[in-house]
Amino acid sequence: MRLIARKMSSIYKSLKLQTKFTITHLVIATIPMIVLAIFFYTKLYDMIIADTIRTEQDAATQTAPMIEESVTEILNALDKIKNEDFYHQVVSAHRTESLNELASSDAADAFLDTLDETIDLDLITDVKLYIDIPRTDPVFSNYPVCKTVLPINQAWGTYWYGIFNGSPSLHALFCPSFYLGSYEIKHNGDMAYIAKSTIIYEGERTPCYLAIYFSQKHFDTMLKDNLSSSSNVAYIINGRDSLVATSDQALSGTYHFSYDEVQEHFMSSNNFILKRVLDEDVYAGFYSIRNTDWYMVVAMPSQPMMKKSINIMAGFILVYVACILIAFLIATLLSHSITNRLSVVINQMSKARIGPPVALPAADTHDEIGDLISTYNYMTRVINQLMEDQAKAAEDLRIAEFHSLQSQINPHFLYNTMDMINWLSQQGRSADVTSAIQKLSRFYKLTLSRKKSLSTINDEIEHVSIYVQLQNMRFHDTIDLLIDIPDNLLDYSIPKLTFQPVIENCILHGILEKESKQGTIVLTGWLDEDDIVILISDDGIGMPEEKLENILTGNGSSGGKGSNIAVYNTHRRLQLMYGPEYGLKYSSTYGAGTDVEIRIPARYPEDGLIDASPDGTAEDPLKESHFIQALTLLTRPEINIYEIAKECGYDNPQLFFTEFRERFGCSPEEYRRQVL
């Protein structure tokens, strides 16, 4: 034995480290699974049987009260009908009026209304009163009572009528489907609860039967819905060993228990009994239904349960084999990870959770761990480079989006301004056209004198003052602009074209919407801790609440004269530059005016917030004047666009088109279509 042990030890020591740990992990993973498999194999069938029985017991425990509730509903309906005055008078021994006279009374109408309320078609489907008197009696022709009160000859030949005749002491009977006549099943219902009484007719007592018809499908559905398996069956039998309802007609016949058998085993109904039926073991449980002579039987054949246990065992074996393969794979993978140097690599790599990865010293070996260190160092360099590239790309994207948003604002203003210049030209007011073009030139010098995106509040005030002057030239000085900005705010920086789109909205969609077409715009501002708040107020028409909700989302419409794109883009520019807590905030009272609050951080131009300029160089004033000239010429449809390009000093028209689009965000053709 010692020799064998030494030989085994020698072989183990000669194995490679990977093989040792593979074997170790396989043993650790497989031994518990083998023990577990043996345990489950011996206990599985018993567990499935116990679980199935418990499941069916729980289901039956829920189903029996549901059936009893339906029975109680039927009995309550019977009591409600019997309490009606019409029924009391019909069966009263002291009745003096004829049945026909009683059928024409108010009590009969109330009786029929109660019947209509009782019939819900889901459970109770109809109610009939059968009276054993000659069918020639006038009561059977008295509409609408004759639809409910019927002669007894309509029940002749039915099984339930024969049962009542053969059992004089019987006062009530739950009737399964085959107790009823074919006419009853077709027109009234396929089950019934019938109560027997008597009436006085021509001085003699004669029987009458109050029948409440209900649906067998209601009970079949309850039985079927509460079964845990389609191979099981639940059914109800009555004291005459008749089938009342079943979840499966065929199975209820195959696994039938007689009423006497059910009564014999009823004391064991809380625990399913095992019985041999047709050479097959069947587990059965029995439940008594209160207020009836019914028993509910739940039968479960053992063969499907055996098949279920075999399927589960087969599935367990497949899972077991898969787990063995996975355990082998895991053991093999884990064997590669058992080295001290690898722990060092893992520790170094874990630092990447709190910051950029840091390279390891170069490996002094060329095995797997050495290759891993080299690969890790390469990966570190690549990741750091990607992080730098991503940061630069994010900044470039932010600047590009800023340019894109701003480019959508410039054409919006130009279309409206050049439309005004075109109108002045058509009116022959050349002096006003010259003045407007000069003001427009100054307007764009303030906007485009440098390609930086920031201006000062003072320049923006001059910029928007020129804009209002241009608009007053068109609208006959109907707009007053009052500016009350403290001097200490004038040198703070603000993105270009911040005031103009808001003022434009105040004019076009506020003041000019009023009947008088006149109004005042007030521009004020103040410091709020580290922020600057600019308030632009107008006494225009205001905005309704639904338009106010959409103006800063880019989804709404400001009416027939334009869209909210300029205001929305101004809001988005401020948020892109400073953060989501900054931007525009609208409040308005419809019919009274609108207030727009602009919030930006209090910073000076030298703070260097953002510079969207590619090179920071000043723009050529001569080229700027050429573009102003181009804008004026584009309002004249008789001049060809290529001639305009040549007039502006461009030998290459394509270059003119490209720079025009970069400057104004649209092509010359698109601009002309918008203006004209």
Side-chain angles (χ1 to χ4, degrees), residues 158-269:
T158 61
Y159 191 26
W160 66 262
Y161 182 69
I163 292 175
F164 276 109
N165 278 342
S167 304
S169 61
L170 182 64
H171 296 291
L173 179 66
F174 276 99
C175 302
S177 181
F178 74 92
Y179 282 22
L180 308 179
S182 58
Y183 184 87
E184 290 176 288
I185 294 174
K186 182 177 180 181
H187 295 91
N188 306 126
D190 46 14
M191 294 182 70
Y193 181 72
I194 302 176
K196 180 181 178 181
S197 186
T198 59
I199 66 170
I200 302 299
Y201 185 80
E202 295 182 354
E204 296 183 359
R205 285 194 172 275
T206 185
C208 67
Y209 303 91
L210 180 60
I212 298 181
Y213 294 94
F214 53 92
S215 170
Q216 178 179 337
K217 183 180 179 181
H218 179 84
F219 292 95
D220 291 345
T221 301
M222 281 193 291
L223 293 173
K224 187 174 183 179
D225 289 347
N226 285 278
L227 288 177
S228 62
S229 172
S230 59
S231 60
N232 301 337
V233 62
Y235 57 89
I236 300 173
I237 58 174
N238 64 12
R240 297 177 179 271
D241 206 14
S242 301
L243 186 66
V244 176
T246 178
S247 63
D248 188 294
Q249 192 74 31
L251 291 178
S252 61
T254 303
Y255 304 113
H256 177 72
F257 287 81
S258 67
Y259 191 81
D260 293 337
E261 287 181 290
V262 173
Q263 280 192 317
E264 179 182 349
H265 295 294
F266 177 65
M267 295 305 296
S268 303
S269 62

Side-chain angles (χ1 to χ4, degrees), residues 92-134:
S92 173
H94 305 290
R95 174 171 50 81
T96 57
E97 62 267 58
S98 68
L99 292 176
N100 189 42
E101 292 173 341
L102 189 58
S104 301
S105 66
D106 292 339
D109 294 337
F111 178 74
L112 294 177
D113 291 340
T114 300
L115 295 188
D116 290 338
E117 294 174 1
T118 302
I119 298 171
D120 60 10
L121 299 180
D122 180 35
L123 177 61
I124 299 176
T125 57
D126 206 352
V127 178
K128 299 296 181 185
L129 179 62
Y130 297 94
I131 304 178
D132 193 2
I133 62 176

Side-chain angles (χ1 to χ4, degrees), residues 381-393:
R381 293 193 298 271
V382 172
I383 290 176
N384 288 331
Q385 183 61 45
L386 287 175
M387 291 173 65
E388 293 177 4
D389 293 345
Q390 185 180 23
K392 185 177 183 301

Side-chain angles (χ1 to χ4, degrees), residues 365-382:
T365 61
H366 300 285
D367 59 3
E368 292 85 354
I369 304 303
D371 293 340
L372 180 61
I373 293 174
S374 299
T375 303
Y376 169 74
N377 288 339
Y378 172 76
M379 178 188 68
T380 299
R381 293 193 298 271
V382 172

